[in-house]
Amino acid sequence: MAQRDAQDVRSLTAQMRPLVVQALLTTFQRSLRDELRLWLSEARPGG
């Protein structure tokens, strides 16, 4: 039974891994976009 449980956990982990990577990339992209927007607004004359 424990062997089957371990296999189930590994299978679930393998299925979740792409979702986690996608979530991290999306968060990074949003953060980068916000930082660039802030940087560009500060770099503008009178901004």
Side-chain angles (χ1 to χ4, degrees), residues 14-35:
Q15 291 173 10
M16 289 176 57
R17 198 168 292 146
L19 295 175
V20 171
V21 171
Q22 183 178 0
L24 289 172
L25 285 173
T26 300
T27 301
F28 174 75
Q29 288 173 336
R30 287 179 182 163
S31 176
L32 182 61
R33 183 186 63 214
D34 292 345
E35 288 292 325

